[in-house]
Amino acid sequence: MVKFEIKKMFSKTVNRILFIVLIAVTLAAGILTVRDERYVQENGDTICGIKAARYLKDAKEKWSGYLTADTLKKVLKENRNIDKTVKDPHKNFYKKQGFEEIKDFINLAFSDYKDYDYYKTENMRASEAGGFYNKRILCLKEYLDSGEESFSDAEKEFLIGTYEEMETPLYYEYADGWKALMDSQYLLTLITIIVVITGFFVAGIFSDEFQLKADAVFFSSELGRNKAVVSKIAAGFLIITLVYWGMALLYSAVVLFSLGFGGAGCAVQTGFSNWYSIYNITYLQDYLLSLAGGYIGSLFILFFAMFISVKSRSTVISITIPFILSCAPMFLGRVPAFTRIMTLFPDQLLRINKGLGEFKLYEIGGKVFGYITIIIPLYLMLFLVLIPVLYIVYKRAEIK
């Protein structure tokens, strides 16, 4: 019966076309992510893609290791020597590409909080590098005391504590494959597209019987109000799971096989966009957390769409739900009055990788939590509640 429901989904021409489009979009996202990798040659020409990744890997591997005070001093000295001896801007940048990211970390650490100064290292003495990690914590404290944002004492203590818990010195190596996956917008966009298109696949699972006026036959059959309903739920779960993981892993394979698997164990703080992150995790953990969060978000949004299709008996209405829940909150979240509450909407699960550097906190029972530690179990529980609710509501549907 489950096979029949799946076969019925893909018997629709529009669903078959959308599935092909989804595969094409996934491959295109992977190719575009790879093409964003850039390496500047000595003559100023820019190489993109796989070839650029090979050159960058060779350049960055010379600086692999723990970012100790000695390493940071070496970067500052090398940067200054290049500036003194190489005046041509193309050749200057060409020689710095191996340690450019480390230079960025120094700029971030010694700039005012969230006020990045690209030229900070140009005016620094090598001896100042010893305060690299302490400066990160000091800048946070100054920011919290500035009053730019209102945090409770417990929240301030929590934020400072997460910064102090980060293991130092950080380990650095070439990790462009993982950074391309997690730091770009493509993964976020792709997961959203997966949810919206999968909505077309599952929207008619429950409502088709009403639309085709076959509900009388369906519910009057021997297994119509029990096993047949379970089969529909199982078919929806199976399609969501296979489509989500199939596309997510296909995209990941294109990027990682092209740019490399190295650096999975590096802390997310070694990526420019996550320097301020309160989550002390590696890129591999970030990847697994982001995909797991996206999967749970997809399950909740799409099962909710199926629930709406049962209540409304309309495929068209249920198709709009994935778009509304995955896209609309992004715009509403820009309205100050809705900003905080929007951090708990299911769309946040689809973009966990973009929220690591944000201070979204919730205080419950005197304890402070990052929003990620709240939202994942919250929607996992809501999804599990939706399953029996969906079963009961459809089983008791009246024939009209």
Side-chain angles (χ1 to χ4, degrees):
M1 295 180 75
V2 175
K3 289 183 179 178
F4 172 74
E5 291 294 339
I6 293 175
K7 184 178 179 181
K8 193 166 65 171
M9 276 186 237
F10 288 98
S11 66
K12 299 176 181 179
T13 302
V14 65
N15 285 352
R16 292 200 297 269
I17 293 173
L18 284 172
F19 185 66
I20 295 171
V21 168
L22 184 56
I23 294 174
V25 168
T26 302
L27 291 172
I31 293 169
L32 289 172
T33 302
V34 173
R35 281 183 59 83
D36 279 350
E37 187 79 341
R38 284 175 166 74
Y39 178 83
V40 178
Q41 295 180 297
E42 193 169 4
N43 62 2
D45 291 343
T46 300
I47 301 172
C48 301
I50 297 174
K51 190 175 181 181
R54 289 201 297 266
Y55 283 118
L56 281 172
K57 185 177 181 182
D58 291 340
K60 291 181 179 182
E61 280 185 343
K62 298 174 184 177
W63 296 89
S64 294
Y66 289 98
L67 297 179
T68 61
D70 289 340
T71 301
L72 298 174
K73 289 177 183 177
K74 185 178 177 181
V75 168
L76 289 172
K77 289 178 180 178
E78 183 69 13
N79 182 67
R80 182 159 294 182
N81 288 336
I82 292 172
D83 285 341
K84 286 181 179 179
T85 58
V86 183
K87 300 303 180 182
D88 182 272
H90 297 308
K91 291 182 179 180
N92 185 289
F93 185 77
Y94 163 76
K95 288 182 173 293
K96 291 182 179 182
Q97 287 173 103
F99 61 84
E100 185 69 19
E101 280 187 316
I102 303 175
K103 179 170 162 282
D104 285 339
F105 303 150
I106 298 173
N107 285 330
L108 280 166
F110 287 92
S111 298
D112 291 336
Y113 198 78
K114 294 192 176 181
D115 186 18
Y116 178 72
D117 181 359
Y118 179 81
Y119 298 102
K120 193 72 177 179
T121 51
E122 315 304 326
N123 303 311
M124 284 181 60
R125 297 186 301 272
S127 58
E128 295 180 69
F132 178 69
Y133 297 106
N134 286 334
K135 185 65 175 175
R136 179 173 179 263
I137 299 171
L138 180 61
C139 285
L140 172 64
K141 290 179 178 179
E142 291 175 349
Y143 171 70
L144 294 176
D145 291 338
S146 68
E148 288 185 38
E149 292 188 42
S150 57
F151 293 101
S152 67
D153 290 340
E155 289 173 334
K156 290 180 181 179
E157 186 178 344
F158 173 82
L159 290 171
I160 295 169
T162 61
Y163 269 42
E164 292 175 340
E165 288 169 5
M166 185 181 78
E167 292 186 12
T168 58
L170 293 171
Y171 184 80
Y172 174 81
E173 65 176 319
Y174 173 85
D176 287 26
W178 297 101
K179 290 175 182 178
L181 268 180
M182 307 313 302
D183 293 348
S184 73
Q185 289 286 340
Y186 292 114
L187 180 62
L188 184 160
T189 304
L190 178 61
I191 292 178
T192 303
I193 291 172
I194 291 171
V195 172
V196 172
I197 290 182
T198 308
F200 283 84
F201 301 157
V202 302
I205 292 179
F206 290 93
S207 58
D208 277 355
E209 314 302 339
F210 301 118
Q211 298 287 311
L212 298 172
K213 306 299 181 183
D215 50 319
V217 176
F218 180 86
F219 288 117
S220 62
S221 62
E222 182 181 357
L223 302 177
R225 291 191 181 271
N226 42 66
K227 190 175 180 180
V229 179
V230 173
S231 296
K232 285 181 177 291
I233 293 173
F237 176 79
L238 193 59
I239 284 297
I240 294 167
T241 300
L242 292 177
V243 172
Y244 176 84
W245 287 107
M247 297 304 107
L249 294 177
L250 175 60
Y251 170 71
S252 302
V254 171
V255 175
L256 292 176
F257 277 105
S258 299
L259 302 183
F261 290 80
C266 290
V268 294
Q269 285 81 3
T270 59
F272 186 87
S273 61
N274 290 323
W275 174 251
Y276 299 110
S277 178
I278 61 175
Y279 300 96
N280 297 313
I281 57 177
T282 65
Y283 267 103
L284 178 59
Q285 291 170 329
D286 177 16
Y287 173 74
L288 296 175
L289 182 66
S290 296
L291 289 195
Y295 178 54
I296 293 170
S298 299
L299 287 172
F300 173 80
I301 290 171
L302 294 169
F303 264 72
F304 186 71
M306 288 191 282
F307 172 75
I308 294 300
S309 75
V310 172
K311 298 297 290 183
S312 66
R313 304 193 176 200
S314 170
T315 301
V316 175
I317 293 176
S318 61
I319 285 174
T320 65
I321 300 302
F323 177 80
I324 292 171
L325 291 181
S326 60
C327 299
M330 286 191 291
F331 301 100
L332 289 174
R334 297 174 183 175
V335 180
F338 300 122
T339 299
R340 187 168 178 80
I341 190 63
M342 285 299 163
T343 61
L344 288 179
F345 267 59
D347 70 297
Q348 295 295 317
L349 286 165
L350 311 182
R351 52 181 60 88
I352 283 177
N353 64 308
K354 304 307 294 182
L356 294 182
E358 299 175 1
F359 293 169
K360 299 175 182 178
L361 306 176
Y362 283 88
E363 191 170 345
I364 303 173
K367 291 187 177 181
V368 180
F369 301 89
Y371 86 105
I372 292 176
T373 58
I374 296 292
I375 198 169
I376 290 179
L378 171 64
Y379 280 100
L380 177 59
M381 181 182 66
L382 291 175
F383 160 67
L384 293 175
V385 169
L386 263 179
I387 296 175
V389 170
L390 187 59
Y391 174 78
I392 293 169
V393 172
Y394 195 67
K395 181 180 179 179
R396 295 178 178 177
E398 294 181 3
I399 299 173
K400 295 183 181 180

